[in-house]
């Protein structure tokens, strides 16, 4: 089992920045990919960014490219999502998720069914 705990959410004005953290514990050796998803009220959950836990491969949703950066500190078993130039449409609950399976070319598809472990989420609210 893998446990994921998110932190770092909050309220910020448009144009501001936040950094989310996802602390992983348990059988983290099982995970190949760790990513961030978000879900706004009344909308479907969507992928934001993901990375290969044991290398450098990353993928981003088009809506966040150039504004968000995903990174990791393997010594701390923590994945970060640096969010800059935030917009009101970024308002959502943000979830960290980990995949055991090898995603390969599906990495950028952000299929939530590929991710087995999920955190409880952290709220991000961006006001205009």
């Amino acid at each position: 089992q893998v446990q994921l705990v998110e932190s770092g959410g909050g309220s910020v004005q448009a144009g501001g920045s936040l950094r989310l953290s996802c602390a992983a514990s348990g059988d983290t050796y099982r995970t190949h990919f760790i990513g961030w998803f978000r879900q706004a009220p009344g909308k479907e959950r969507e992928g934001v960014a993901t990375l290969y836990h044991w290398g450098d491969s990353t993928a981003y949703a088009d809506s966040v490219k150039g504004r968000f950066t995903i990174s990791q500190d393997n010594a701390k078993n923590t994945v970060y999502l640096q969010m800059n130039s935030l917009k009101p449409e970024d308002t959502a609950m943000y979830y960290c998720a980990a995949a055991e399976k090898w995603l390969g070319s599906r990495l950028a598809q952000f299929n939530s069914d590929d991710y087995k472990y999920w955190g409880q989420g952290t709220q991000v609210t961006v006001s205009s």
Side-chain angles (χ1 to χ4, degrees):
Q1 292 293 317
V2 175
Q3 294 78 43
L4 303 171
V5 178
E6 304 95 334
S7 62
S11 297
V12 64
Q13 289 191 330
S17 299
L18 283 173
R19 188 177 79 157
L20 306 183
S21 299
C22 171
S25 61
D27 299 331
T28 57
Y29 64 89
R30 293 177 175 272
T31 62
H32 280 99
F33 299 93
I34 297 182
W36 289 93
F37 290 74
R38 66 186 182 187
Q39 187 166 21
K43 294 187 177 181
E44 293 187 355
R45 184 165 51 191
E46 62 174 351
V48 175
T50 190
L51 56 71
Y52 176 49
H53 193 38
W54 308 109
D56 297 326
S57 296
T58 59
Y60 294 90
D62 288 342
S63 59
V64 306
K65 282 181 181 176
R67 300 188 299 122
F68 291 11
T69 303
I70 189 171
S71 62
Q72 63 185 335
D73 183 337
N74 281 344
K76 296 182 179 180
N77 274 331
T78 300
V79 173
Y80 304 99
L81 184 68
Q82 178 66 43
M83 306 185 295
N84 298 329
S85 301
L86 283 162
K87 305 175 181 180
E89 50 263 45
D90 294 318
T91 295
M93 184 70 79
Y94 282 69
Y95 298 92
C96 178
E100 288 186 344
K101 62 176 66 176
W102 180 256
L103 300 181
S105 59
R106 299 198 314 278
L107 182 63
Q109 294 178 11
F110 293 105
N111 186 342
S112 59
D113 290 339
D114 286 331
Y115 292 78
K116 181 176 181 179
Y117 305 104
W118 292 82
Q120 293 300 307
T122 186
Q123 178 68 37
V124 171
T125 302
V126 184
S127 58
S128 57

